[in-house]
Amino acid sequence: MLSELEGAVMLEVHMRGRRTAFQVRKSFINSPTADWSGSAGAVYPAIKRLEAADLLCRNQVGDARGTHELSLTSQGIAALHEWATDPNLASRMRADPFRTRSDYLKSLPAKERIKVFESIRTELMNVAAVIDDLISLDHELKTEANTLASRLISSRLDWIEGVMGSDRL
């Protein structure tokens, strides 16, 4: 079974037209998802693992730079399909720094809580603006993923507004 990183790499190649390892890495660097490391030490080894498993292949383009284009093998397409359509993998709760901190933040003294929630709200609004830009600028097949991210940010903002407006503060 593919890891989340490996599945995401394969999506970039197969669905979003990222044909070189550098393009895949750049898409991770530009991602608003903090868990995606755009480091060469994460992306390139993932690509090598996928190649070794015969899920990705590398074909030389023939330019002066020695560029290689990536594509999925037939086994890679099947593995991507299995990974992307697995309901258990798609619905698992992953580490969520917002959710992890929520109880602690509510335990802070009122003045500090308000200050922290206001700064988190400001940062969430900044992230929302980045995601809105991505929705308008990025590959059309990534619009759905970014729309889901936008809804997640909105739900977090709603939660903060509810906590700040309630008697829990």
Side-chain angles (χ1 to χ4, degrees):
M1 184 56 64
L2 299 174
S3 70
E4 286 299 300
L5 174 63
E6 292 166 341
V9 165
M10 292 177 73
L11 278 173
E12 291 298 318
V13 172
H14 191 64
M15 301 287 299
R16 300 191 180 121
R18 314 299 197 239
R19 296 289 178 224
T20 67
F22 176 77
Q23 288 173 339
V24 171
R25 181 174 175 233
K26 187 174 177 185
S27 71
F28 281 84
I29 289 170
N30 294 331
S31 173
T33 304
D35 290 344
W36 297 138
S37 171
S39 75
V43 174
Y44 296 146
I47 290 171
K48 287 192 182 299
R49 285 192 306 275
L50 293 166
E51 286 180 286
D54 198 30
L55 301 176
L56 268 182
C57 62
R58 187 183 300 249
N59 301 305
Q60 191 158 11
V61 174
D63 63 2
R65 294 171 48 193
T67 303
H68 290 88
E69 283 192 344
L70 301 170
S71 61
L72 273 62
T73 64
S74 58
Q75 293 115 316
I77 292 169
L80 176 61
H81 180 80
E82 181 182 342
W83 170 82
T85 60
D86 185 310
N88 292 321
L89 291 175
S91 58
R92 278 193 190 142
M93 291 296 291
R94 302 276 185 209
D96 179 349
F98 189 85
R99 186 173 50 88
T100 302
R101 289 165 174 77
S102 62
D103 289 332
Y104 179 79
L105 295 175
K106 289 190 317 183
S107 74
L108 295 172
K111 280 186 175 185
E112 186 178 1
R113 241 189 342 244
I114 291 168
K115 186 176 180 178
V116 169
F117 279 133
E118 286 175 348
S119 29
I120 291 172
R121 180 176 49 198
T122 299
E123 188 58 31
L124 284 169
M125 291 169 72
N126 292 337
V127 171
V130 168
I131 291 170
D132 287 345
D133 286 345
L134 288 173
I135 289 170
S136 66
L137 299 174
D138 208 355
H139 193 280
E140 67 183 41
L141 291 173
K142 199 161 182 177
T143 300
E144 289 302 318
N146 287 326
T147 299
L148 286 170
S150 178
R151 288 183 178 180
L152 175 63
I153 297 301
S154 291
S155 70
R156 290 176 173 183
L157 285 165
D158 289 346
W159 182 83
I160 285 175
E161 292 300 327
V163 171
M164 289 179 70
S166 75
D167 60 358
R168 290 185 272 174
L169 275 179

